[in-house]
Amino acid sequence: MSRIVIALGGNALQSNPKDTSAESQLNTAKDTAKYIVDLVKEGHDIIIAHGNGPQVGQIVSTYETAHNIEKNNTIMPFPECGAMSQGYIGYHLQQAIKMELIKRGINKEVVTLITEVVVDEKDENFKNPSKPIGSFFTEDEAKKISSEKGYVFKEDANRGWRRVVPSPLPIKIIEENSIRTLMEAGHIVITVGGGGIPLLEKEDGTFKGVDAVIDKDFASEKLAEILEADKFLILTAVEKVYINYGKPEEKSLDKVKVKDMEEYIKQGHFAPGSMLPKVKAAIKFATSKEKRETIITSLDKVKEGLKGITGTTITL
């Protein structure tokens, strides 16, 4: 059996984007857990990573609203909001997976680890913050907050102005030894939630949190390399990756070599804020060592994807 790092997309956490309640998320997590435990039952070692976009946005917006109502309330720093989202989502996944394991008579522990990830302050992405977070503001409100806090705001599709933060690449996972220890003990580990809490390393060897968002697919790929995973599984909203998506000549990709996928990137087939980071992370893992493969597919096709029946498999 294989050691598999699974990167869960947003639809595995919130199936109904209009219902962002905790109850809805927990119910979705229960459905997600069934597919994960299917793999555990087959004997695979499973490590789980996940996104946190909607959840961390809710947390930020809640603090922003509280700050506007009561001026004495401070806006919570973004790294702390990321940590809250890791705990919140991890709790739901941990509870749901444990319940499913008990139902099937499988004796395994499930552990959520609050995870920090080092980034490089010289990363080019710090020069161009692009990830929107939190509430919408008017232009005047955005200018006022920017002057007070130094935040960067950008207009978001004519819906208002939102704060944006950088999206640097991950360099090192601080808790990698703890993750490995838990995994080798046979536990299911939920980690690098939301890409991990971004940290900058100081000259004295200590760290400080930074306002940024690490793409969960890149953080998951880094984790897969560190843990010497056999397969890297990216679960998203579609069963396969497509070229010419949404056009008459649309074509799904089944088994693809890295060199062909790189050519598709050059041709502009993948959207920057959607499939492109997944494909780039897939390529990075597939080229990290011989016989490694990345599979991109949907949650409900996970078993078929691992068997090569469906999904898009990227290999060297």
Side-chain angles (χ1 to χ4, degrees):
M1 294 295 103
S2 300
R3 177 177 295 172
I4 305 169
V5 170
I6 300 175
L8 292 176
N11 64 315
L13 302 172
Q14 284 188 340
S15 57
N16 182 359
K18 294 183 178 179
D19 186 354
T20 58
S21 66
E23 182 181 10
S24 175
Q25 180 174 291
L26 181 56
N27 287 333
T28 302
K30 289 176 182 177
D31 290 334
T32 298
K34 295 173 185 176
Y35 296 103
I36 291 172
V37 175
D38 281 346
L39 303 184
V40 175
K41 189 174 181 180
E42 290 184 351
H44 299 293
D45 292 328
I46 302 298
I47 305 95
I48 300 166
H50 60 81
N52 72 341
Q55 294 84 0
V56 76
Q58 287 175 318
I59 293 167
V60 171
S61 294
T62 298
Y63 277 104
E64 288 171 342
T65 300
H67 174 73
N68 290 336
I69 293 172
E70 176 51 67
K71 295 300 181 183
N72 290 329
N73 285 339
T74 58
I75 296 178
M76 184 65 66
F78 190 65
E80 280 78 354
C81 291
M84 288 180 192
S85 73
Q86 282 192 9
Y88 165 37
I89 297 167
Y91 158 65
H92 280 171
L93 286 172
Q94 182 174 304
Q95 185 187 63
I97 294 168
K98 188 62 179 176
M99 287 171 60
E100 190 65 27
L101 289 168
I102 291 170
K103 283 181 186 177
R104 303 198 199 185
I106 302 172
N107 184 24
K108 263 188 178 291
E109 294 296 319
V110 189
V111 181
T112 298
L113 193 64
I114 303 300
T115 316
E116 305 159 299
V117 176
V118 179
V119 298
D120 185 353
E121 64 181 342
K122 296 178 181 178
D123 189 304
E124 288 295 313
N125 290 291
F126 277 107
K127 296 178 182 179
N128 182 33
S130 60
K131 289 281 187 180
I133 59 169
S135 307
F136 288 93
F137 295 91
T138 66
E139 185 174 4
D140 288 341
E141 289 171 334
K143 287 179 178 178
K144 185 175 185 297
I145 297 171
S146 181
S147 65
E148 292 174 353
K149 301 288 185 180
Y151 296 163
V152 178
F153 284 84
K154 290 184 179 179
E155 191 175 20
D156 190 332
N158 295 318
R159 294 181 295 174
W161 291 72
R162 293 179 77 189
R163 182 185 172 195
V164 290
V165 296
S167 184
L169 294 172
I171 296 174
K172 179 172 68 175
I173 298 172
I174 295 291
E175 290 79 16
E176 65 177 73
N177 290 332
S178 298
I179 297 166
R180 186 180 292 106
T181 299
L182 290 165
M183 178 196 68
E184 290 175 352
H187 304 322
I188 298 170
V189 189
I190 301 164
T191 183
V192 293
I197 303 163
L199 301 181
L200 294 177
E201 187 167 7
K202 299 194 287 187
E203 289 183 2
D204 62 1
T206 59
F207 302 92
K208 65 175 181 178
V210 61
D211 291 358
V213 172
I214 301 170
D215 187 285
K216 73 103 173 38
D217 295 310
F218 290 127
S220 303
E221 189 283 327
K222 176 67 72 174
L223 179 69
E225 282 194 48
I226 289 169
L227 297 180
E228 294 283 331
D230 301 299
K231 299 178 190 292
F232 177 35
L233 188 56
I234 301 175
L235 299 183
T236 185
V238 292
E239 186 174 337
K240 297 182 180 183
V241 179
Y242 293 82
I243 56 174
N244 298 310
Y245 186 71
K247 300 177 181 179
E249 61 272 29
E250 177 182 283
K251 178 187 174 183
S252 63
L253 302 176
D254 299 316
K255 291 177 172 58
V256 192
K257 295 293 185 182
V258 165
K259 61 181 179 60
D260 295 322
M261 205 55 118
E262 288 175 335
E263 184 60 33
Y264 292 141
I265 290 175
K266 290 178 184 176
Q267 293 170 6
H269 283 286
F270 310 121
S274 178
M275 190 55 72
L276 182 59
K278 293 174 176 55
V279 169
K280 285 186 173 181
I283 289 171
K284 192 170 188 304
F285 182 72
T287 55
S288 63
K289 196 173 182 180
E290 281 191 67
K291 297 184 179 180
R292 286 182 175 173
E293 61 182 30
T294 306
I295 302 157
I296 303 176
T297 192
S298 56
L299 176 66
D300 61 331
K301 298 294 183 181
V302 60
K303 287 204 296 184
E304 294 90 338
L306 280 176
K307 292 174 182 176
I309 298 170
T310 189
T312 300
T313 302
I314 298 99
T315 59
L316 187 58

